[in-house]
Amino acid sequence: LVPRAAAVLPEGFRIAVDIQDSSASPTLSIAHTLEWSSRGRDAVVGAGTSFVTGPVALAASISNMPVVTYAATSSALSDKAVYPVLSRTTPSDAPLAEKVLQVAKAFGWSRVGVIYLDDAFGRSFLTD
């Protein structure tokens, strides 16, 4: 049982949780997802990065298993045609990118540096 779950779950309701370390590895996370699917798990919660969440959501879609991410923010993950089983509890990078531009404008900055992960998900922040 998840610690503190009793405070939010209806009386008598219990939830079993399998916890696996992704090691920030899409391959390992896909393996966990496929294993959970074969064992009849209802959903996946995670992963903590867009880099891992994208592949996990693709693997989970094979069995139509929902994925809820608490931290993946890439707007590339918003495409329901590609990631139909994915939901988020945090907004995508699109509103953040807009706010960064507003801050730059407010301070009169015309040249800034951006540090990001150079992958499809990191690049989506630059295009938002």
Side-chain angles (χ1 to χ4, degrees), residues 10-68:
E11 186 174 330
F13 188 89
R14 294 185 55 86
I15 187 166
V17 179
D18 290 330
I19 300 172
Q20 296 290 336
D21 182 357
S22 73
S23 298
S25 165
T27 304
L28 184 58
S29 298
I30 289 169
H32 294 317
T33 300
L34 295 175
E35 176 190 348
W36 290 333
S37 177
S38 72
R39 291 172 50 202
R41 298 304 178 253
D42 295 317
V44 173
V45 176
T49 66
S50 299
F51 176 71
V52 176
T53 299
V56 164
L58 292 174
S61 68
I62 294 168
S63 60
N64 205 34
M65 184 167 54
V67 176
V68 179

Side-chain angles (χ1 to χ4, degrees), residues 34-109:
L34 295 175
E35 176 190 348
W36 290 333
S37 177
S38 72
R39 291 172 50 202
R41 298 304 178 253
D42 295 317
V44 173
V45 176
T49 66
S50 299
F51 176 71
V52 176
T53 299
V56 164
L58 292 174
S61 68
I62 294 168
S63 60
N64 205 34
M65 184 167 54
V67 176
V68 179
T69 178
Y70 52 85
T73 59
S74 172
S75 61
L77 297 171
S78 298
D79 188 342
K80 284 297 185 187
V82 178
Y83 304 104
V85 298
L86 181 64
S87 297
R88 293 189 241 242
T89 62
T90 189
S92 77
D93 285 336
L96 176 60
E98 184 178 322
K99 293 298 180 192
V100 168
L101 290 175
Q102 290 174 0
V103 168
K105 182 179 177 183
F107 283 101
W109 300 337

